[in-house]
Amino acid sequence: MRRPHIRTVAVAVAVTTAATGLAGTAFAGPSQKVERSAASAASNATAVVEAARTAAFAHASATGVSKGDELHAQDVMIDPEGARHVRFVRSHNELPVLGGDLIVHLDRKLAYTGVTRAAGHTVKPAAAKAQLTAAQAAAKAAKAAEGDAGTAQLVLDARGGASALAYQVTVTAEGGSHTVVVDAVSGKVRSNTPDSDEFLSPKLLDTLSERGETADPATGIGSAAATSGLVGSSASGVTYPSAAKGTGKTLFVGTVGLTTTQTSRGHYQLKDPNRYGTETRDAKNSYTEKFSAGSKFTNTTNVWGNGKTTSRATAAADAQYGITKTLDFYKSTFKRKGIRNNSKPAQAMVHWGKKVANAFWDPTCNCMLYGDGDGQMFKKPLVVLDVTGHELTHGVVEATANLQPTFVDSDGNQYGEPGSLNESLADIFGSNVEFYAKNSKDTADYLVGEKLGLAQKFLRRLDHPSLDKLEGAIDYWSPDTYYTEVHAGSGVSSHAYYLLAEGSGKKTINGVNYNSPTYHNVTVKGIGRTKATAIYYRALTRYMVSTTDFHQARVATLKAAKDLYGASSTEYKTVDKSWAAVNVTAANTPRAH
């Protein structure tokens, strides 16, 4: 999944990646409708960071910050309503702290108003000195992840109520890298986490194999007008490189418009200059995690693919379309400029690996990786629109809350509520990408993976998660949810979101029938998808950290609803009711996990 790495980012970088609010622009006050100059914004953000850092130490009993801690700003969020939020990662005595992230909240006058923190305890220096050398730790990590270990780095592991001295090691193996954390005293492997997020879990693939089920989705399903796609400039007399209007003949969404780069007269590259240089390349069936190692897609026709797998560019057209639509969704809806909100390109490689039946968000290369299918169980590349929206949202989550699984089993299956919440948010926003795209060949719905060709006609669904019999998704929270595989556990918050947006009971949307149940059969009247999505994005970016569980997510969405609509609003009350409808309430909040 996402690597729990610590990035020390200067304030200037944090300024450029500041997450915007849903109303107005970044750094805008409630009465201002235009963005301030970059210099003014940078100055403002610098002052906010310093005020938040000072407040964190002044309110140490609440924030858990102690002597020896250094706080490194990751994100600065200045809301039009007046609040300011600074997301920090932490080092202690110059050692990066795993699970030490926190968000300090301030008011318009930069006075402290609260904190959201991952570690529920003060991070203290490890009592013992390292008994293992870096080389010994690297060897243990290599054995655990069955690959080649990089350099072992000393860290403090503050996850799970600990303050243990440990080594963090990146291990490169065929099929993707892992981050392994090894106890520096005992030599025990504390965690072994895949860096890339697999759309299809090992558990699901085993289930499909046991059932003998194959997925051969329908493709080549006609054409949509190119004007419904993404277009750029094609004026004559331009200098090169320049934006050009291309055509993608895709597997899953018909014929679409793509903005491409004309590199010279009559020569084109599958790279979008209007969207930060977003590009799709061909991995040529290698397992590389370096985007630079991928082969560029170029041609002389500016037509990409033929609607069939016989052209290597066809899957690339699907991927490029899905990625640019996802970027447009985040920019149009939240003013988010790219996956990390830093106006940098999103990148992808298709034809990744040999007979890989999966798709991934890979933070190692900061890109999407798409397998071609294994030719048996999955017979087509996994370049479906909502798969792309789902996986790129993992990149958004990594850049914000960085929600992490609590533990990973020996087969690579992930568990724990923060990981489940991560999968849920990817499904929620991935579904929203479909609604945004309005592609007639991929009807917008609250189903996930409905075009993969599975026998149950979808992989997951938000309205009634337990109808997913492949993963065993759950509708309601219980204490056992902590031990549930993350794709199955995602049903809790996905269900809460659907109820908030659409309400309970029967409903038909875009020709798809839904019938959402509730805990104790309570009735929920939805507030609409637009408002529900605004609340969940605000909660993710302002009030969630790496360890946020479902009860903390309830609090986060309530705070977001209060920010946007007020504590006495229908929206706020419906957020509370939607969580109660999936059995997440203040009354049943666990004291400790």
Side-chain angles (χ1 to χ4, degrees), residues 219-387:
T219 56
I221 47 177
S223 301
T227 53
S228 69
L230 303 163
V231 296
S233 170
S234 61
S236 60
V238 297
T239 57
Y240 304 115
S242 63
K245 295 179 181 179
T247 299
K249 294 189 175 182
T250 71
L251 284 172
F252 294 106
V253 288
T255 299
V256 296
L258 295 173
T259 303
T260 62
T261 297
Q262 186 169 5
T263 55
S264 64
R265 185 178 179 87
H267 293 85
Y268 304 91
Q269 183 178 345
L270 192 56
K271 182 177 183 178
D272 190 335
N274 291 350
R275 291 168 180 83
Y276 326 112
T278 287
E279 182 180 2
T280 299
R281 292 188 177 183
D282 190 342
K284 293 290 184 71
N285 302 109
S286 73
Y287 293 94
T288 182
E289 291 183 82
K290 293 182 179 180
F291 182 73
S292 60
S295 297
K296 298 176 182 178
F297 279 99
T298 60
N299 67 26
T300 58
T301 65
N302 211 7
V303 176
W304 309 90
N306 61 3
K308 303 175 184 179
T309 56
T310 52
S311 169
R312 296 185 73 83
T314 300
D318 279 277
Q320 186 78 355
Y321 174 82
I323 292 167
T324 49
K325 279 299 185 184
T326 302
L327 291 177
D328 286 359
F329 159 72
Y330 276 106
K331 186 175 182 180
S332 175
T333 310
F334 309 120
K335 295 183 172 62
R336 188 174 187 86
K337 299 177 180 179
I339 299 305
R340 295 188 179 278
N341 201 29
N342 57 1
S343 299
K344 295 291 180 67
Q347 299 169 327
M349 287 191 284
V350 292
H351 309 302
W352 188 80
K354 295 179 176 64
K355 295 186 177 181
V356 173
N358 230 318
F360 315 80
W361 162 254
D362 188 338
T364 300
C365 77
N366 193 32
C367 65
M368 281 291 304
L369 303 175
Y370 297 92
D372 284 330
D374 58 6
Q376 298 178 350
M377 190 158 50
F378 281 89
K379 298 185 179 182
K380 296 290 191 304
L382 275 77
V383 287
V384 176
L385 179 60
D386 62 2
V387 172

Side-chain angles (χ1 to χ4, degrees), residues 6-17 49 53 71-75 87-89:
I6 300 296
R7 298 184 298 271
T8 302
V9 180
V11 170
V13 175
V15 170
T16 64
T17 60
V49 169
R53 185 179 284 113
L71 300 180
H72 312 282
Q74 296 290 286
D75 214 348
R87 185 182 296 276
F88 291 106
V89 294

Side-chain angles (χ1 to χ4, degrees), residues 60-89:
S61 60
T63 63
V65 174
S66 62
K67 183 179 180 180
D69 280 351
E70 292 184 3
L71 300 180
H72 312 282
Q74 296 290 286
D75 214 348
V76 181
M77 296 153 282
I78 300 180
D79 298 338
E81 307 84 45
R84 284 86 171 98
H85 317 265
V86 181
R87 185 182 296 276
F88 291 106
V89 294

Side-chain angles (χ1 to χ4, degrees), residues 403-433:
L403 291 155
Q404 294 292 319
T406 308
F407 60 98
V408 182
D409 69 17
S410 59
D411 294 322
N413 294 296
Q414 301 173 20
Y415 297 83
E417 292 185 20
S420 293
L421 182 59
N422 194 335
E423 292 299 331
S424 170
L425 291 167
D427 282 352
I428 288 167
F429 291 113
S431 296
N432 270 272
V433 170

